[in-house]
Amino acid sequence: MMDAVSNIKIEKTKTSKIQSVDFNNIQFGKQFSDHMFVAEYKNGEWQDLRIEPYAPISLSPACAAIHYGQAVFEGMKAYKNDEGKVLLFRPRENAKRINVSAKRLCMPEVPEELFMDAIHQLVQLDADWVPQNEGCSLYIRPFIFASEELLGVRPAEEYKFMIITSPVSSYYTGPVDVKIESNFSRAAEGGVGFAKAAGNYAAALYPAKLGQEKGYKQLIWTDAKTHEYIEESGTMNVMFLIDNKLITPSIALNTTLSGITRDSVIKLAKDLGLEVEERRVAVKEIVEAARNNKLQDAFGTGTAATIAQIASITFEDERFELPPIENRTVSNKIAKSIEEIKRGRVADKFDWIYNI
Ligand SMILES: *Cc1c(COP(=O)(O)O)cnc(C)c1O
């Protein structure tokens, strides 16, 4: 039924690499499963849909993505439940978001059914690569980039849509020390902050490196105009708990990425009876709360770590230690709840699970 939709040609590998992988000891994004999905955009349509052995690709040195950065991506994960069935978490949201990103960068959209079909068939074929160990999963990386040989500056007319997958172990490295960044910016109003664009990551590397040299695992980005409002934490959305209210920056100004984990946490928090505020969040407000011991919890949300609890926040010369992890009832509870939903251990009352 599925392949009737988009007619994907499948060429299976003759030599699986799976025996060479130590699933108890995997480094993030260093090993890739046997197959990849590829589609070519030419003459105004996606064509030559195929799944083939994972391998290097050949491109012109004048490939437009390399020069002018027309490149967007997604990140999602496949899990195995206790019976060994493969589950995806809200994949249609990734399908929608890659198109929001593509549109902003003048790139062709991928029909949602093509996106879903490609993921479904690829993950089905490489199902053995989805680790079953606790905390482990198969990371899925769909991406679109301009492949046209073109040094002229205009939207390219040829693109590739590809999907590669990589087994990953538990991302958890313990709570992180972060710094509120008031010089550099990740995104500006009117810019591409809401798009999952490759260039956003490139632009963030240098400030992040300066922060890391000072011992901060991540930066809390502030708005480009005034640096008075909080936007995100590294490549994650960020949330704070003050007076038992969950507070998170609004995505309305289009400078913050609309995270699927963010949306899921908001829905779960409301379901737990918590009050949730999506609005502008002033640096001053968070600093004041921290100073007065009213900042009960703070954490980043994203596909890679799900919930990354924040150990300390530094603003200018002041460092605030947050309550011990065992007291973070809200983030602990939500993290556990999302994990159980993703692994199909509890009823899927929000209809978030997609079965392969
Ligand atoms: C991908 C991403 C997130 C998190 O989004 P999820 O859908 O939860 O994985 C947050 N911020 C940025 C900048 C991102 O690129």
Side-chain angles (χ1 to χ4, degrees):
M1 175 194 84
M2 268 282 175
D3 44 0
V5 179
S6 32
N7 204 1
I8 300 171
K9 213 171 66 202
I10 298 182
E11 182 202 337
K12 286 190 192 168
T13 182
K14 289 185 184 72
T15 47
S16 172
K17 294 170 295 184
I18 200 160
Q19 298 307 332
S20 70
V21 181
D22 176 4
F23 280 94
N24 295 310
N25 191 7
I26 356 182
Q27 246 190 307
F28 186 87
K30 285 281 202 183
Q31 268 166 318
F32 299 93
S33 53
D34 285 329
H35 300 92
M36 61 184 189
F37 171 85
V38 192
E40 314 280 347
Y41 186 86
K42 270 182 197 151
N43 304 320
E45 61 178 347
W46 289 108
Q47 44 190 282
D48 198 8
L49 279 44
R50 60 202 194 266
I51 288 172
E52 57 190 31
Y54 178 92
I57 54 173
S58 166
L59 291 167
S60 158
C63 159
I66 299 173
H67 298 273
Y68 306 126
Q70 274 187 295
V72 299
F73 68 93
E74 271 305 321
M76 56 207 284
K77 284 175 170 174
Y79 302 83
K80 263 192 187 146
N81 70 10
D82 298 329
E83 287 81 55
K85 275 198 66 181
V86 178
L87 314 174
L88 301 181
F89 184 71
R90 309 188 71 183
R92 279 191 191 273
E93 299 303 316
N94 299 92
K96 292 193 179 94
R97 190 170 65 188
I98 202 168
N99 287 334
V100 170
S101 301
K103 191 168 178 196
R104 177 62 180 84
L105 274 84
C106 256
M107 301 166 68
E109 295 177 28
V110 171
E112 205 173 303
E113 288 317 310
L114 164 53
F115 183 98
M116 292 300 299
D117 195 10
I119 300 254
H120 189 109
Q121 295 205 41
L122 182 64
V123 174
Q124 193 166 43
L125 185 61
D126 279 339
D128 288 346
W129 287 82
V130 185
Q132 191 146 19
N133 313 7
E134 197 61 36
C136 300
S137 55
L138 185 70
Y139 184 81
I140 304 169
R141 168 55 60 88
F143 55 107
I144 313 173
F145 65 95
S147 53
E148 186 179 356
E149 185 169 52
L150 165 77
L151 286 187
V153 181
R154 61 154 167 81
E157 285 169 1
E158 291 170 16
Y159 296 84
K160 279 185 194 286
F161 167 44
M162 298 184 63
I163 308 169
I164 55 176
T165 71
S166 170
V168 293
S169 58
S170 166
Y171 195 83
Y172 192 75
T173 50
V176 293
D177 296 313
V178 303
K179 182 193 106 162
I180 298 178
E181 176 60 56
S182 2
N183 294 307
F184 294 100
S185 309
R186 190 193 81 90
E189 274 177 63
V192 298
F194 65 92
K196 225 168 166 68
N200 284 339
Y201 279 67
L205 292 175
Y206 180 68
K209 177 172 157 255
L210 294 183
Q212 277 155 15
E213 283 166 5
K214 296 228 158 99
Y216 305 108
K217 189 98 187 231
Q218 259 175 21
L219 300 177
I220 291 196
W221 298 107
T222 51
D223 72 289
K225 230 186 250 175
T226 66
H227 296 295
E228 285 174 12
Y229 295 94
I230 288 176
E231 300 205 316
E232 297 200 51
S233 172
T235 58
M236 306 181 91
N237 294 110
V238 66
M239 305 201 176
F240 304 94
L241 190 73
I242 301 171
D243 292 332
N244 293 317
K245 264 187 269 185
L246 193 64
I247 301 165
T248 191
S250 154
I251 53 172
L253 291 175
N254 279 342
T255 51
T256 302
L257 197 109
S258 175
I260 297 161
T261 318
R262 174 188 182 277
D263 182 71
S264 309
V265 169
I266 290 172
K267 292 193 165 109
L268 282 170
K270 286 181 178 165
D271 193 56
L272 288 171
L274 273 178
E275 208 176 309
V276 181
E277 293 181 359
E278 291 179 71
R279 56 167 169 82
R280 295 207 90 183
V281 179
V283 171
K284 211 159 84 182
E285 173 185 2
I286 299 306
V287 168
E288 287 288 299
R291 217 177 256 145
N292 301 319
N293 288 322
K294 293 186 90 177
L295 185 56
Q296 300 158 281
D297 206 341
F299 53 93
T301 69
T303 294
T306 309
I307 304 276
Q309 288 161 321
I310 293 173
S312 74
I313 299 181
T314 299
F315 178 59
E316 292 171 347
D317 294 326
E318 264 181 295
R319 181 184 169 112
F320 305 101
E321 302 294 337
L322 271 62
I325 293 305
E326 59 272 21
N327 295 355
R328 312 277 188 99
T329 332
V330 166
S331 55
N332 290 338
K333 204 178 205 169
I334 291 176
K336 185 157 176 265
S337 172
I338 292 205
E339 209 50 36
E340 291 191 324
I341 295 174
K342 286 178 169 177
R343 297 202 169 260
R345 291 187 179 134
V346 292
D348 177 24
K349 68 176 182 185
F350 298 98
D351 199 16
W352 283 341
I353 296 302
Y354 175 95
N355 290 286
I356 296 287

